[in-house]
Amino acid sequence: MKQITSKQAEKLALMDDNKLKYEIKFCQQDWVIQNARFIADIETKRIDKTLFGEWPKGWKAQMVKDSAEAAKAALLSRFLRDECKQLDGAIWLGNWQMIQDLERGAA
């Protein structure tokens, strides 16, 4: 096992672009479901397209922004849960392949 920093953990968690893209799509679907009522009201012009200033660039831009943040947080959380152990605030990586990637400077 090797102790890593939070920056290294984040870099390793977000290393696979395909996982990140999939997670972003999943988060976008979830975001639309959660905000369907507001989206319907905006699209039928019953309320302001910025949701009274809550979504300054509109609902689509807000969805992209929120989904990207949620996807990164989900991947980091899953990485910490599955690949690492956290003891006394330190992050310990147990995956030897990822440790070798870190030592080679790939991540």
Side-chain angles (χ1 to χ4, degrees), residues 11-101:
K11 200 178 265 189
L12 285 169
L14 303 176
M15 192 166 51
D16 188 351
D17 288 336
N18 290 329
K19 281 185 183 177
L20 183 59
K21 287 177 186 175
Y22 173 78
E23 194 67 35
I24 287 173
K25 291 291 183 192
F26 182 74
C27 289
Q28 286 177 345
Q29 291 172 352
D30 188 50
W31 192 93
V32 168
I33 290 168
Q34 288 179 1
N35 294 289
R37 183 175 160 267
F38 297 122
I39 293 169
D41 286 347
I42 290 169
E43 291 297 317
T44 58
K45 299 187 182 356
R46 283 185 264 181
I47 60 174
D48 179 39
K49 74 175 187 170
T50 64
L51 192 63
F52 310 108
E54 289 289 316
W55 300 339
K57 295 182 179 180
W59 72 266
K60 291 177 186 171
Q62 192 67 33
M63 176 192 63
V64 169
K65 178 184 168 200
D66 291 350
S67 297
E69 292 171 4
K72 288 177 183 178
L75 285 177
L76 180 59
S77 175
R78 191 174 305 133
F79 174 78
L80 291 173
R81 183 191 70 214
D82 295 344
E83 303 292 341
C84 300
K85 301 287 182 221
Q86 291 181 294
L87 302 169
D88 298 329
I91 302 170
W92 293 89
L93 179 62
N95 184 316
W96 289 105
Q97 181 64 41
M98 289 183 180
I99 291 171
Q100 290 174 347
D101 290 345

